Amino acid sequence: MLFKPNKKVKIDLIIAIILITALIIILAINLLETYSNLTYEYEKKEICFFALGLLIIGIWLYIKVLCGWIGANRTIIMSKENCIVSFGTYQKEYRWEDFKIKSIENISHSSKNYTEKVYEKCVIFSLYTLRRPWWKNPWQCNTFHPFSFICIYFRPEEKSRHFYTNYEIEEELFMEKMKEWGIKLEESSFYERRKNVNSVF
């Protein structure tokens, strides 16, 4: 099975990068003008602290968008023997037993952006144990772990072209391949698990 990058997601991320860059430039120009017009040292210090906070937020946003860019531009190849994740010339190859998490997730209660709202189930492969709140969208994990976390959404029966995500497939086709290759998937729901934990206390 071959999963290629979704062009719509890539375009969204490019727009996000442009908007973040424009916003930071505008704020930086305004801060410099304000700083040059100040007389008192304490006022200049306040502006410097504000600028430092802006810089930290800007760096964090860029890192998030950059990881999202990598996650949206990966090519994923799944076969009976392994799973290959590639980004440009960089490539990682995993055996199926390398994944600690291989599960079908009910994401109907997860927070999702507008384009993802129609999706209710996905399959997750992760090299590490997941420690995310029940409401957190799996794609957010994918953003910060683009090579060790794979999330494939199951395409619903009816879907408008306005709804899209990075990688999707027909559930029946995917499950047939998993069965053919002898790969067992757990069925889990962070929402149900969280409900059960809360009912104990």
Side-chain angles (χ1 to χ4, degrees):
M1 286 188 290
L2 174 64
F3 298 92
K4 291 185 177 181
N6 187 320
K7 291 182 180 179
K8 291 181 180 179
V9 177
K10 291 163 65 175
I11 291 170
D12 287 349
L13 288 169
I14 290 171
I15 293 171
I17 291 171
I18 292 171
L19 289 175
I20 291 170
T21 304
L23 180 63
I24 290 174
I25 290 172
I26 291 168
L27 288 173
I29 291 170
N30 288 333
L31 282 173
L32 286 172
E33 287 179 357
T34 304
Y35 184 85
S36 62
N37 293 327
L38 293 176
T39 306
Y40 301 105
E41 286 298 320
Y42 76 90
E43 292 178 326
K44 291 183 177 181
K45 285 182 180 179
E46 287 178 356
I47 288 294
C48 287
F49 279 121
F50 183 77
L52 179 62
L54 178 65
L55 177 64
I56 292 170
I57 293 171
I59 291 171
W60 181 81
L61 284 173
Y62 267 112
I63 291 172
K64 186 173 181 179
V65 173
L66 179 62
C67 290
W69 172 256
I70 294 171
N73 282 275
R74 297 171 303 166
T75 297
I76 301 169
I77 303 173
M78 294 182 178
S79 65
K80 183 178 181 180
E81 292 75 27
N82 56 28
C83 178
I84 299 172
V85 182
S86 61
F87 174 74
T89 57
Y90 183 78
Q91 181 174 292
K92 290 286 288 184
E93 182 177 337
Y94 304 108
R95 297 169 301 172
W96 290 111
E97 54 266 31
D98 293 335
F99 292 107
K100 287 188 178 180
I101 302 293
K102 297 191 287 285
S103 69
I104 300 170
E105 287 288 333
N106 174 2
I107 57 170
S108 57
H109 299 282
S110 298
S111 63
K112 294 178 284 234
N113 63 40
Y114 171 74
T115 60
E116 295 174 308
K117 285 189 181 296
V118 70
Y119 299 95
E120 294 188 353
K121 291 177 73 178
C122 68
V123 62
I124 288 175
F125 299 98
S126 176
L127 296 184
Y128 310 103
T129 303
L130 299 177
R131 301 183 185 279
R132 67 179 177 88
W134 62 268
W135 48 264
K136 193 173 184 180
N137 185 349
W139 192 82
Q140 293 171 306
C141 299
N142 182 52
T143 300
F144 290 104
H145 304 280
F147 291 102
S148 60
F149 183 93
I150 298 168
C151 177
I152 309 293
Y153 289 81
F154 289 146
R155 190 179 296 126
E157 292 182 6
E158 294 183 5
K159 190 187 73 161
S160 165
R161 62 186 177 85
H162 299 294
F163 297 100
Y164 57 87
T165 187
N166 276 18
Y167 307 97
E168 63 174 28
I169 192 172
E170 298 289 345
E171 182 177 359
E172 187 177 345
L173 173 62
F174 188 87
M175 296 307 293
E176 281 180 6
K177 282 295 181 183
M178 292 293 106
K179 186 177 180 180
E180 180 185 329
W181 297 341
I183 299 167
K184 294 182 179 180
L185 301 175
E186 296 179 358
E187 289 200 22
S188 59
S189 168
F190 278 90
Y191 176 76
E192 293 299 329
R193 208 174 301 160
R194 181 63 177 265
K195 266 202 326 186
N196 292 336
V197 169
N198 289 340
S199 64
V200 173
F201 295 97

